[in-house]
Amino acid sequence: MKDEGQNSLLQWLAPELAAKGVLQDEPWVQASVRQVEDMFPVKPLAIAAVTMAVVEPFAIDYLRQAPVLVVAAARGMECFRPTERDFVLRDWRAIVHDRPRLRDLLKYYGLVRPLRALKGQAFRAGPIEYQIIQNLCDVPPSPLAQAIPTSIRKQHVWLRALGEWSETMCRREQGARALLGWAVCAMGSHAENMAGDALDQASAVADYAAFHIDGFNRRWSYQRVFRAALEWHEELARASSEKAFFLTHKIGWDDVIDYGGLPRSTIIEGYEVVALQSGAALHAEGADMHHCVASYAGNVIRGFSRIFSVRKDGRRVATFEISKSGFLLASGEFLQLPSSKGPLYKLVQFKGPYNAEVPQEVEKTIHAFISGLNETARAGG
């Protein structure tokens, strides 16, 4: 693990740690740092781990036994700021000095014993993953222990899927912990028994579960719910006929929804970004991309959302949603704050076919499009 100047993290942190009276000129320091750099390839966690490992000769033993301690100590922070590192160090130094039992150390950080099985290489770091770890502590220990996949790669996929699950549940106003126990166990079992990235459809499954939460069958396997989710998404597209759309939204199927001054179509680096400004356009996008963008029609009509399709050579490759910054009034209008500090438009979400992740090149196109909107808005006024 190297920083931008090709120096080790220890060299970078050494002056700061020495000033705090932490760093010792002993052989065990270098050995401990090498171990944690191998354990945590993600830089924010590696910074926190190095800070923790050099406190005491035996600190590395705790981190080897329970890498999740580093995630809990970092609390979702990037640890690039001295104040963040100081927070990690102060807590860790105080508790580890007396050489507590591991179970007491886990308890101090609010962790449960089964989370020891998670490897450092499986973590991505950041506030979302920290929140996932906190939520997992509410799952009964026995099923949680059985749910955690054995391989590092599958642990990574499992944690990412749980993040998508929680984000979707929150977006659908169900709460991050809604059906979390089922998701933890079902996704863990599915990831363990399937080859490859078998949980790429987690947000689509969560969409289905959120809409059917009262009658959700907790005995179903992940694969069974996944099939039901696909059927549901297809049913959404079929059932949303022009008549049904009009009865629900009081506008015609092909009536153009006013996007204000936003472009109907623009080309960026060979990709076409197309505004989806009618019920027909939204449903065609959802049917072709196999996701539930059609269910956002009400938000688009009321002005809460603006949805666009990204296409390459006429083929749909991504769908994304933006919204205005500022306060949302009860009337459904946005009150824009009188400030030029923040962007006028913000990215809400973006998805590929079947809610898959979007290639980096496409993601850059989306961000470039939004940056262009904000530059135009600032120039105008």
Side-chain angles (χ1 to χ4, degrees), residues 124 156-166 187 199 202-203:
R124 289 186 301 172
H156 176 81
V157 170
W158 180 68
L159 288 170
R160 185 187 66 191
L162 289 174
E164 290 182 14
W165 175 275
S166 297
M187 289 180 178
L199 293 171
S203 57

Side-chain angles (χ1 to χ4, degrees), residues 66 68-73 75 91-92 95 102-116 130-139 141 144 177:
V68 71
L69 284 167
V70 176
V71 179
R75 299 197 178 189
D91 257 16
W92 177 254
I95 187 65
L102 180 60
R103 68 181 184 184
D104 294 330
L105 193 54
L106 291 168
K107 184 177 181 180
Y108 176 80
Y109 282 104
L111 301 169
V112 293
R113 187 179 179 86
L115 295 179
R116 291 176 53 190
Y130 173 62
Q131 186 62 56
I132 293 168
I133 295 301
Q134 288 188 305
N135 293 346
L136 287 175
C137 293
D138 292 335
V139 179
L144 175 60
R177 289 179 171 85

